[in-house]
Amino acid sequence: MNGIKIVTIGGGSSYTPELVEGLIKRYDELPVRELWLVDIPEGEEKLNIVGDLAKRMVKKAGVPMEIHLTLDRREALRDADFVTTQLRVGLLDARVLDERIPLKYGVIGQETNGPGGLFKALRTIPVILDICRDMEELCPDAWLINFSNPAGMVTEAVLRYSNIKRAVGLCNVPIGMRMRIAKLLDVSPDRVHIDFAGLNHMVFGLNVYLDGEKITDRVIDLITSGEKSNFTVRNIKEVGWEPDFIKGLGILPCPYHRYYFQTQKMLEEQMAAAKEKGTRAEVVKKLEAELFELYKDPNLAVKPPQLEKRGGAYYSDAACNLIHSIYNDKRDIQPVNVRNNGAIAGIPDDSAVEVNCVITKEGPVPITVGELPVAVNGLVQQIKSFERVTCEAAVTGDYRTALVAMTIHPLVPSDTIAKQILDEMLEAHKPYLPQFFQEEQVS
Ligand code: G6P
């Protein structure tokens, strides 16, 4: 390859400076010739602000990386080597609805879990599948690296409903868990290794090692030592685990497991927050406005530290490490979302799982885990069923399939409440769900 071409769809995102910083840092081994930032007309202003900052960053760093800004996705995709997707259909206003509507019914309102996760999938999957069709035509050998949430379901849909084989889903939760543990142990992160297995936002650390020595019990003691351990991400409040529960489990939960194992506490916390300072999306809207004000400053030529207030910290490290390892055939181990291929027993081969993989130039090769511990296997299986039914609903636009998905989610208490939430959310998100309203449009 004569220099790499990367296309980032949703390029106007406030996270883009992280990605640019990560590419600059790795330029010697990952020579990116062109970075194309693509957005939709509604995102043009943001795209220009972020794009100008990216140009200043590259100039300051003195790397010959061209930054292109465009609203024309197809023009950008031609002959790309890597396509990253970080889009939010309906922008943050849609996330506010995903968070607020379920709360009215006493159900957790969250962008990737429960009813919110279902609707984010229904809005996002058709757009990603459209991108896949463009890729097939314009850059058939490119890698699709998706960070758009819900990342697990998006990967599942790409694997099942597109012809793209070179697809990987990425999340910052595993890298965030590793960084947090390194901090608690007061060691550098490269000395810590975790055996990750599960699904996106439903991943467990089965074992933790320091310099190759197993220290899982010691880490469990640390993360259950009260709220101070802060074993979480910015967008999820640490409410303290019941130490005997985690010790009994014997493996590390991820921050999102709080919604399943601490449902009542998390619901109360969400309801109080929604009243006092707004839901997470409402808080993020303010944060974003501040960030874009900073990005506009013509003297700013680095990623501002305020970006670290967002939940997606280390995304760029995860993304750049992955691209770097594919490009250089590094064969290191990274946790990503890929086709299971038998790695986790009981999950279909062609379903997406989040698991440690060896990263080669032919892509990630999942490391075999076998059966998950019996205490969590049932929940993981149930979420996988939810994900598969959700993907089917996203592709078909079938009302009953969507209702089944909503009802079988463990955070939704009954079919009747599921139907009420579904109906209200379908109406609220109507402009972004054409697949559910086709007949109406025809008549
Ligand atoms: C996390 C998740 C991401 C998510 C982000 C939300 O850590 O892993 O999937 O996008 O937080 O952060 P935000 O700042 O938007 O609430």
Side-chain angles (χ1 to χ4, degrees):
M1 280 187 222
N2 179 19
I4 305 162
K5 176 175 179 181
I6 299 185
V7 177
T8 297
I9 301 181
S13 157
S14 55
Y15 282 119
T16 295
E18 273 225 352
L19 189 71
V20 176
E21 183 191 69
L23 296 177
I24 289 174
K25 262 203 298 198
R26 292 167 181 80
Y27 187 81
D28 286 346
E29 286 182 54
L30 188 67
V32 177
R33 183 189 69 229
E34 294 170 39
L35 173 64
W36 286 68
L37 303 178
V38 184
D39 222 302
I40 51 171
E42 294 88 314
E44 189 172 10
E45 196 194 338
K46 282 182 167 181
L47 177 67
N48 287 331
I49 296 171
V50 171
D52 287 345
L53 171 57
K55 287 178 188 168
R56 294 195 297 274
M57 288 173 75
V58 165
K59 191 167 169 213
K60 180 175 169 144
V63 296
M65 191 195 309
E66 291 169 23
I67 308 283
H68 297 262
L69 312 181
T70 182
L71 303 183
D72 185 343
R73 181 170 94 198
R74 289 178 57 84
E75 182 205 2
L77 285 176
R78 196 169 294 284
D79 301 327
D81 299 304
F82 293 92
V83 177
T84 69
T85 39
Q86 49 179 38
L87 49 96
R88 189 188 286 287
V89 180
L91 306 172
L92 280 168
D93 286 336
R95 179 171 170 190
V96 173
L97 297 170
D98 286 342
E99 292 171 346
R100 284 220 172 251
I101 296 174
L103 277 188
K104 289 206 250 173
Y105 299 87
V107 173
I108 298 270
Q110 211 282 322
E111 71 164 342
T112 60
N113 288 259
L118 166 63
F119 270 80
K120 191 158 170 46
L122 298 181
R123 297 192 301 275
T124 311
I125 286 170
V127 175
I128 299 279
L129 293 179
D130 221 34
I131 293 172
C132 289
R133 283 187 282 272
D134 280 352
M135 285 179 66
E136 243 189 283
E137 187 191 328
L138 299 163
C139 51
D141 295 328
W143 284 93
L144 171 65
I145 301 193
N146 173 65
F147 337 134
S148 304
N149 267 325
M153 285 190 266
V154 168
T155 309
E156 179 83 22
V158 170
L159 297 177
R160 277 182 193 278
Y161 298 103
S162 87
N163 295 321
I164 301 287
K165 296 280 171 284
R166 295 181 147 194
V168 190
L170 207 60
C171 182
N172 65 330
V173 160
I175 191 170
M177 286 169 71
R178 181 167 158 227
M179 302 298 265
R180 191 70 219 155
I181 288 170
K183 191 149 188 217
L184 288 170
L185 294 168
D186 198 17
V187 300
S188 101
D190 53 4
R191 295 175 58 194
V192 176
H193 175 87
I194 306 176
D195 292 336
F196 285 107
L199 309 177
N200 180 233
H201 289 184
M202 178 51 56
V203 73
F204 292 91
L206 301 182
N207 284 300
V208 189
Y209 307 83
L210 175 63
D211 300 328
E213 190 193 328
K214 210 186 267 187
I215 53 155
T216 319
D217 292 343
R218 194 172 137 204
V219 170
I220 286 180
D221 281 344
L222 284 171
I223 66 167
T224 54
S225 62
E227 295 181 15
K228 285 192 306 300
S229 75
N230 198 25
F231 189 58
T232 190
V233 276
R234 287 279 187 174
N235 53 309
I236 302 177
K237 192 169 180 218
E238 168 66 276
V239 291
W241 286 104
E242 199 63 69
D244 284 331
F245 165 61
I246 304 295
K247 287 177 187 170
L249 208 54
I251 58 176
L252 265 57
C254 80
Y256 285 84
H257 285 120
R258 293 198 173 80
Y259 294 118
Y260 297 88
F261 299 135
Q262 304 184 303
T263 314
Q264 194 56 34
K265 260 196 206 172
M266 293 307 283
L267 184 62
E268 284 163 11
E269 202 279 316
Q270 279 198 342
M271 288 190 163
K275 268 198 202 132
E276 287 155 24
K277 53 175 185 196
T279 66
R280 177 68 188 166
E282 287 159 347
V283 171
V284 166
K285 270 180 112 172
K286 287 189 202 129
L287 266 174
E288 280 222 331
E290 285 166 31
L291 281 172
F292 276 94
E293 277 313 305
L294 291 172
Y295 292 176
K296 278 184 196 162
D297 177 356
N299 297 315
L300 181 76
V302 291
K303 177 192 87 175
Q306 286 88 335
L307 186 52
E308 276 152 29
K309 288 192 195 156
R310 295 294 305 276
Y314 312 122
Y315 251 121
S316 92
D317 272 332
C320 296
N321 285 344
L322 176 63
I323 295 175
H324 180 259
S325 293
I326 293 177
Y327 181 75
N328 292 301
D329 195 30
K330 285 275 274 189
R331 297 179 179 264
D332 57 341
I333 295 174
Q334 297 182 25
V336 291
N337 287 263
V338 280
R339 193 175 189 274
N340 184 35
N341 263 352
I344 301 182
I347 293 188
D349 282 358
D350 53 357
S351 266
V353 290
E354 190 165 285
V355 69
N356 279 1
C357 293
V358 178
I359 312 294
T360 76
K361 80 174 178 337
E362 295 306 321
V365 180
I367 296 174
T368 303
V369 175
E371 271 187 32
L372 291 174
V374 62
V376 298
N377 192 21
L379 177 60
V380 171
Q381 296 288 341
Q382 184 60 21
I383 293 296
K384 180 46 73 187
S385 296
F386 161 77
E387 290 188 350
R388 288 184 59 184
V389 180
T390 297
C391 291
E392 193 188 326
V395 171
T396 59
D398 182 65
Y399 177 86
R400 288 183 181 160
T401 308
L403 179 57
V404 171
M406 180 78 90
T407 309
I408 64 172
H409 196 283
L411 296 178
V412 177
S414 75
D415 56 352
T416 307
I417 293 180
K419 188 170 169 38
Q420 289 165 353
I421 301 178
L422 181 70
D423 290 345
E424 185 169 343
M425 291 183 83
L426 275 174
E427 204 47 44
H429 288 299
K430 197 171 177 177
Y432 302 106
L433 298 172
Q435 72 273 44
F436 283 88
F437 296 97
Q438 267 155 15
E439 275 168 31
E440 262 181 49
Q441 281 170 355
V442 171
S443 59

